[in-house]
Amino acid sequence: MSFRIVAALTDPSSPDVVIVGAGPNGLTAGVLLARAGLSVRIMEAAATPGGGCRSAALTLPGFVHDTCAAVHPMGVLSPVFREIGLERHGLEWVTSPRPLAHPLPDGGAAMLEHSLSRTAAQLGVDGAAWERLLRPFVEREFVESLLRPLWFPGRGSLVRKARFGLLALRSCASVARSHFRGDAARALFAGCAAHSVMDLERAGTASFGLVLAAVAHVIDWPCARGGSQEITRALVRAFESHGGVLQVDQPVASLRDVPNSRAILFDLSPRQVAEIAGDSLPASYRDRLLRFRHGPGIFKVDWALSGPIPWRNEECRAATTVHVGGSFEEVLRSEHAAAHGRAPEQPFVLVAQQSLIDPSRAPAGQHTGWAYCHVPNGCAENMTARIEAQLERFAPGFRDCILARHTIDPAGLEARNAAMRGGDMAGGQNDLRQFLFRPMARLNPYATPNPRLFICSSSTPPGGGVHGMCGYHAARTVLRKLGLPTHHT
């Protein structure tokens, strides 16, 4: 199904709002602003919208691969996606019997089940500790409250966030070591925390482990039937249903490329915003945007496979996501190396096997494989052999299943999506200061000193992930600036 898009603008009239960048946040902002009665135009440099939420035939005919984001725990939880009603626009979430598996060196596996009690039951000596750690946060309202800046008001959220913060501000390593005695629970928690793309000894990394584990227990880690591009398609349909206009193949190098409007939103990296806005922003603010720090990059591999990945532990064959990194200490070593400028010899590999629950991804009887590992920002090393060695270690015979592969390094990711500086797909370094106050410390991070210019990308709170909440908060900021209601009737 093709997008109804406009390649060249023929109407000379000026829109109320222009959004530069058609990633999930830009599209979400577009939906909310167009729904409020504003004329909205989105300008996207690529030939297809979606940013990091796209799919393509990367290997062989009939195989559909997600080019970046693949599994969407925060997407299915997103209040704004639910408000927009993406399912009404064709999106279908697909879930698996188990959100996550973490195979262990001894042949066992730690399984993150949807049920908190079932997860605890299979963690042996650490089962009760896992349940005590997660139980206070396994509540949908609380997890959703984390999808807003910490200082934004929310019903009862400040008290709950303060309780959460006592643990979240610690490092993953310290929480795992102090709460668990066995390697299974420690490795499972570390794998979740590794989504921070940080050295897991750093303060604040425990928050990622807590949130992603809690989300699995609250709702799931699903994927989109037909590929992540279907999330983008649903957002585009919603946007166009309110009269929005999407232009592709429309790169923006400066504000001269943008039609006159009441407001401009950027679904771009801070550096891109500084370069495009130029002297329209104060020099001090622009310099701070240019100093915004990006974290490690990723090296990604997609495979067309003759069959499912032959995991040694059968339970791993039922999970949408598999964390391949071995023991707790091995995961820590891999993430430490990537964060300190070294490509890991035995990388922690994040694997998704969407075709197990979504047969539309591959020809009958065949499967897709999707994987990446963290590497230093801009790293040029080819990690294919190291990634495949890790899978072969836990799934003997994996290499024999490979029909074709597609690889992309940090430079390739940035060439495909300029917001991913050096292959950073998380919207920026996730250390405590920058994660809490991105792109810089401001009362409202979505507004710039120029009253017409706003930022709505994942370089604003709540950060990376396909959830649209950065776009949601930015759109509400624009509506308030324009004196329009921020609620939907």
Side-chain angles (χ1 to χ4, degrees):
M1 183 174 186
S2 61
F3 293 106
R4 181 172 66 83
I5 53 184
V6 178
L9 189 68
T10 56
D11 183 358
S13 62
S14 297
D16 293 314
V17 179
V18 173
I19 300 173
V20 182
N25 287 306
L27 289 168
T28 298
V31 174
L32 301 187
L33 294 169
R35 189 181 67 184
L38 298 169
S39 59
V40 184
R41 185 178 306 161
I42 299 179
M43 303 176 69
E44 167 58 44
T48 57
C53 192
R54 291 183 279 182
S55 307
L58 300 176
T59 55
L60 298 175
F63 290 85
V64 177
H65 303 277
D66 294 327
T67 61
C68 189
V71 181
H72 305 285
M74 304 311 286
V76 73
L77 195 70
S78 169
V80 71
F81 282 1
R82 190 167 62 252
E83 179 184 325
I84 292 170
L86 295 186
E87 289 82 355
R88 295 196 304 271
H89 295 281
L91 176 64
E92 181 182 352
W93 296 112
V94 190
T95 61
S96 68
R98 288 171 168 149
L100 170 68
H102 188 121
L104 299 167
D106 64 2
M111 308 299 297
L112 185 63
E113 308 266 4
H114 181 49
S115 164
L116 175 59
S117 59
R118 284 203 303 272
T119 300
Q122 53 87 31
L123 287 175
V125 66
D126 288 318
W130 183 274
E131 190 155 6
R132 283 195 304 271
L133 178 65
L134 272 300
R135 175 68 68 187
F137 314 119
V138 178
E139 180 182 288
R140 181 167 188 147
E141 182 181 2
F142 170 71
V143 178
E144 286 184 3
S145 76
L146 300 177
L147 289 173
R148 66 175 73 241
L150 293 183
W151 54 92
F152 273 34
R155 187 174 53 193
S157 63
L158 290 179
V159 173
R160 297 292 298 275
K161 285 179 183 177
R163 184 179 182 184
F164 173 79
L166 292 175
L167 286 165
L169 293 176
R170 295 171 58 187
S171 73
C172 159
S174 70
V175 169
R177 289 177 180 134
S178 63
H179 282 73
F180 308 127
R181 289 181 285 166
D183 193 63
R186 288 180 174 182
L188 185 62
F189 187 75
C192 293
H195 287 253
S196 65
V197 202
M198 290 269 291
D199 182 341
L200 297 180
E201 299 279 4
R202 292 285 299 272
T205 51
S207 65
F208 287 80
L210 292 168
V211 169
L212 286 175
V215 170
H217 295 318
V218 167
I219 193 158
D220 204 354
W221 286 18
C223 61
R225 187 177 299 281
S228 293
Q229 189 75 50
E230 295 306 313
I231 301 172
T232 297
R233 292 183 191 276
L235 284 167
V236 171
R237 293 187 189 106
F239 176 60
E240 292 179 336
S241 73
H242 294 291
V245 174
L246 170 63
Q247 296 177 265
V248 296
D249 291 317
Q250 294 288 304
V252 172
S254 76
L255 291 182
R256 290 188 296 273
D257 299 324
V258 180
N260 187 40
S261 60
R262 298 169 69 185
I264 302 171
L265 287 79
F266 298 99
D267 187 7
L268 304 173
S269 73
R271 179 174 291 274
Q272 289 174 290
V273 175
E275 292 168 347
I276 290 170
D279 292 340
S280 296
L281 291 171
S284 59
Y285 179 86
R286 193 169 65 247
D287 288 345
R288 293 171 74 186
L289 291 180
L290 292 171
R291 292 198 302 270
F292 184 82
R293 291 169 291 111
H294 284 275
I298 68 167
F299 186 99
K300 181 172 177 287
V301 186
D302 290 279
W303 298 282
L305 302 172
S306 61
I309 298 174
W311 302 106
R312 177 183 287 113
N313 188 295
E314 292 282 342
E315 291 187 291
C316 297
R317 304 186 185 197
T320 308
T321 302
V322 184
H323 286 165
V324 182
S327 69
F328 169 68
E329 296 295 340
E330 287 180 288
V331 176
L332 263 58
R333 283 197 296 271
S334 174
E335 297 309 285
H336 177 85
H340 292 272
R342 302 187 308 276
E345 290 299 323
Q346 284 193 306
F348 171 68
V349 183
L350 297 94
V351 178
Q353 37 192 15
Q354 305 97 310
S355 58
L356 290 179
I357 58 172
D358 180 8
S360 71
R361 303 290 187 107
Q366 298 177 323
H367 286 272
T368 58
W370 174 104
Y372 72 85
C373 71
H374 299 141
V375 295
N377 191 279
C379 177
E381 291 191 47
N382 189 326
M383 299 294 290
T384 306
R386 292 181 227 184
I387 288 174
E388 292 182 354
Q390 283 286 69
L391 267 77
E392 188 74 24
R393 175 186 171 195
F394 294 97
F398 168 73
R399 290 191 183 97
D400 295 335
C401 298
I402 299 173
L403 302 174
R405 72 170 62 81
H406 174 273
T407 66
I408 189 164
D409 63 7
L413 284 163
E414 184 174 345
R416 181 189 289 164
N417 184 344
M420 295 184 183
R421 295 272 171 168
D424 171 14
M425 68 173 188
Q429 176 76 276
N430 282 322
D431 61 64
L432 269 179
R433 178 170 61 86
Q434 188 164 273
F435 180 72
L436 294 175
F437 304 104
R438 55 173 50 199
M440 64 187 72
R442 284 176 64 83
L443 185 61
N444 187 318
Y446 313 99
T448 75
N450 185 319
R452 289 183 59 239
L453 305 183
F454 304 84
I455 305 176
C456 67
S457 70
S458 60
S459 296
T460 61
V466 178
H467 44 64
M469 293 301 292
C470 308
Y472 167 81
H473 295 302
R476 288 170 59 86
T477 296
V478 172
L479 291 172
R480 285 193 294 268
K481 288 276 188 178
L482 298 180
L484 297 173
T486 58
H487 61 280
H488 176 53
T489 57

